[in-house]
Amino acid sequence: MKKIYDSAAEALDGILFDGMLIAAGGFGLCGIPELLIDAIKEAGTKNLTVASNNAGVDDFGLGVLLQTKQVKKMMSSYVGENAEFMRQYLSGELELEFNPQGTLAERMRAGGSGIPGFYTKTGVGTQIAEGKEVKQFHGEDYILEEGIFADLSIVKAWKADDTGNLVFRKTARNFNPPAAMCGKICVAEVEEIVPRGSLDPDHIHLPGIYVHRLIQGEHEKRIEKVTTRAKEDA
Amino acid sequence: MPWDRNQMAARAAEELEDGMYVNLGIGIPTLVANYVGDKDITLQSENGMLGMGPFPFEGEEDPDLINAGKQTITELSRTSYFDSAMSFGMIRGGKIAAAILGAMEVAENGDLANWMIPGKLVKGMGGAMDLVAGVGRVVVVMDHQNKAGESKVLKECTLPLTGKGVVDRIITNLGVLDVVEGGLKIVECAEGVTEEELRNATEATIV
């Protein structure tokens, strides 16, 4: 089966529908599926629920789908870098479901692994626990969290082979593998597609079974906070 | 003289022991890395890295290599990378020995609030709830009082909680306190701060 598509728009053709749940990889602006996000903007799909650790910045990443008001609800752990997000949320235009970061990652991993729910200590005794089942294990309280089953996963990797095996680079891996796992369909964008056999099978980070469609493209890879140190005098 | 930010970070670094895997929060906790000296400490960044190195030299920033505060960083010879589910698996699973975190409020029962001011500040908890629930030891580093001079070390937190009964030790500009049965116990006062001054600046019960 052919997995490689010529463009993000073609790779998303026939998959998008209003009101769908999308799981997106990335942490801050690092390892985000920027080409697929732009293509969803162009497609104009509305009332989206997006599970993603962050919401991008105003003009990059998921922020562009907020600008166009295509997002109805975000499931995130931290949205602090986006002024438009804050405005829409405080005015009631945008729903927000805060998830502790590890809970969000595990909800994706669980959903992709056929696990509809799991118990965690994270958030016990906080707002996050409100309305959730509490169960004791070994004398301690845990709350029930549900796996995420997304309609679509959009992820970014460094390299792929034509069968969809993915390799990530440094901390750009982050949420991409769990996000990829939890979607009915996963579309991945990569910096380079290489022929099968050129990636060491022992070094594959995410097997191609999780990846249905692939595109290669140029990535801006914007840095959110450039921090450096001075070179010491020789 | 109360401790300044760097002195608080230096004091917090004394909490770390050789061989520990540690997660440092944003703000003063980040400075702790400057004071670990010869100790063999591995820093975890919860976005998927063990063995976090210093900031890069100018011109050597890598957009694929950032810390949990989204700052550009570098790797070390010991570094490993992994995804967010595994990262929080090691946090929740108790593999990380300690977390040093900032706080808005701490209470005498170990409750911690550091993620939200209702109606005002809605940024999110990030990984803080997972960290305080999962790591071996939680050390909070913060100013003892807010800008209005009110104690941030309270009988009960007023802000939404990050974790219930999770804090082990509090390091402030005025001294070090432990969460014990019945309240807080003074471990030490900052140089030049008397025990009376520390007590007067603290709303929480000191036992």
Side-chain angles (χ1 to χ4, degrees):
Chain A
M1 200 184 85
K2 170 184 166 294
K3 291 191 178 180
I4 301 172
Y5 287 73
D6 288 336
S7 69
E10 283 176 43
L12 291 171
D13 188 43
I15 295 177
L16 300 174
F17 61 91
D18 289 349
M20 73 191 304
L21 169 57
I22 298 177
F27 180 93
L29 301 181
C30 181
I32 58 171
E34 50 181 273
L35 306 175
L36 291 162
I37 290 168
D38 284 344
I40 292 170
K41 178 192 166 192
E42 291 307 317
T45 319
K46 291 207 169 24
N47 287 320
L48 300 173
T49 296
V50 182
S52 167
N53 189 55
N54 311 94
V57 294
D58 284 338
D59 65 337
F60 192 60
L62 289 169
V64 305
L65 299 183
L66 295 171
Q67 297 277 10
T68 52
K69 305 220 167 73
Q70 286 170 263
V71 180
K72 180 184 70 174
K73 178 180 173 182
M74 288 295 304
M75 301 162 74
S76 304
S77 87
Y78 190 83
V79 294
E81 320 298 341
N82 193 313
E84 176 63 13
F85 185 106
M86 207 66 76
R87 193 199 63 70
Q88 288 187 21
Y89 173 65
L90 292 174
S91 71
E93 293 165 50
L94 180 68
E95 290 173 54
L96 170 61
E97 178 191 297
F98 269 131
N99 284 250
Q101 194 173 142
T103 295
L104 183 63
E106 190 63 17
R107 289 185 65 191
M108 292 179 180
R109 198 198 68 83
S113 307
I115 298 171
F118 59 92
Y119 291 94
T120 176
K121 248 191 309 192
T122 302
V124 169
T126 75
Q127 279 184 5
I128 294 304
E130 283 169 19
K132 288 174 186 162
E133 185 196 325
V134 178
K135 186 168 169 150
Q136 280 212 340
F137 294 88
H138 316 296
E140 272 194 84
D141 284 346
Y142 291 76
I143 55 173
L144 178 64
E145 294 281 2
E146 294 186 8
I148 292 173
F149 300 87
D151 297 304
L152 169 67
S153 303
I154 52 172
V155 300
K156 151 81 173 52
W158 181 40
K159 287 184 181 182
D161 67 19
D162 63 291
T163 74
N165 289 322
L166 299 186
V167 176
F168 301 91
R169 187 171 174 273
K170 302 187 190 285
T171 56
R173 192 182 319 185
N174 57 58
F175 273 81
N176 283 297
M181 291 168 72
C182 75
K184 286 190 199 115
I185 298 177
C186 172
V187 183
E189 60 180 67
V190 302
E191 294 174 44
E192 188 184 3
I193 299 175
V194 298
R196 65 185 73 186
S198 33
L199 299 173
D200 183 338
D202 268 331
H203 294 172
I204 302 295
H205 296 139
L206 189 76
I209 191 169
Y210 293 108
V211 178
H212 305 96
R213 299 183 179 193
L214 262 181
I215 55 159
Q216 175 180 308
E218 290 293 317
H219 289 82
E220 176 184 339
K221 299 216 281 185
R222 193 184 294 184
I223 296 178
E224 203 161 333
K225 292 178 190 168
V226 173
T227 42
T228 56
R229 69 192 144 123
K231 273 200 171 125
E232 278 138 297
D233 296 332
Chain B
M1 275 287 283
W3 284 326
D4 65 21
R5 288 163 59 88
N6 284 305
Q7 288 168 314
M8 288 159 70
R11 178 59 189 80
E14 290 176 30
E15 302 294 317
L16 305 181
E17 292 163 25
D18 224 37
M20 274 187 173
Y21 291 87
V22 178
N23 184 293
L24 302 178
I26 293 163
I28 301 174
T30 305
L31 301 174
V32 173
N34 300 334
Y35 298 96
V36 295
D38 292 336
K39 282 184 277 197
D40 185 32
I41 305 291
T42 306
L43 297 178
Q44 197 232 23
S45 191
E46 66 265 26
N47 53 319
M49 178 185 201
L50 276 167
M52 181 167 44
F55 295 144
F57 295 125
E58 204 181 316
E60 294 176 10
E61 310 87 23
D62 183 339
D64 289 336
L65 183 44
I66 64 169
N67 64 17
K70 284 128 192 167
Q71 299 170 307
T72 46
I73 47 162
T74 55
E75 63 187 21
L76 305 170
S77 53
R78 71 173 60 185
T79 296
S80 58
Y81 299 110
F82 34 84
D83 68 54
S84 299
M86 177 173 277
S87 182
F88 283 91
M90 66 184 72
I91 288 168
R92 213 185 294 104
K95 315 299 177 189
I96 303 290
I100 300 179
L101 302 171
M104 296 171 183
E105 295 177 346
V106 185
E108 61 190 45
N109 61 355
D111 288 0
L112 168 68
N114 73 352
W115 76 280
M116 174 185 207
I117 302 173
K120 239 174 137 182
L121 180 78
V122 207
K123 291 189 169 188
M125 71 292 284
M129 284 191 180
D130 309 275
L131 280 161
V132 299
V135 303
R137 184 171 161 79
V138 175
V139 177
V140 162
V141 183
M142 64 174 197
D143 282 327
H144 209 95
Q145 293 151 303
N146 63 20
K147 289 196 178 90
E150 298 156 343
S151 182
K152 292 166 69 173
V153 185
L154 304 171
K155 289 189 189 304
E156 242 178 84
C157 289
T158 64
L159 296 170
L161 295 184
T162 307
K164 209 162 172 43
V166 293
V167 176
D168 296 292
R169 176 163 281 193
I170 308 162
I171 298 174
T172 76
N173 52 326
L174 301 183
V176 181
L177 301 113
D178 273 350
V179 178
V180 296
E181 193 67 37
L184 303 179
K185 182 169 163 280
I186 297 176
V187 177
E188 64 184 84
C189 297
E191 216 178 302
V193 174
T194 66
E195 198 174 307
E196 198 190 348
E197 285 169 331
L198 183 55
R199 282 173 183 273
N200 287 340
T202 307
E203 189 208 276
T205 311
I206 293 180
V207 296

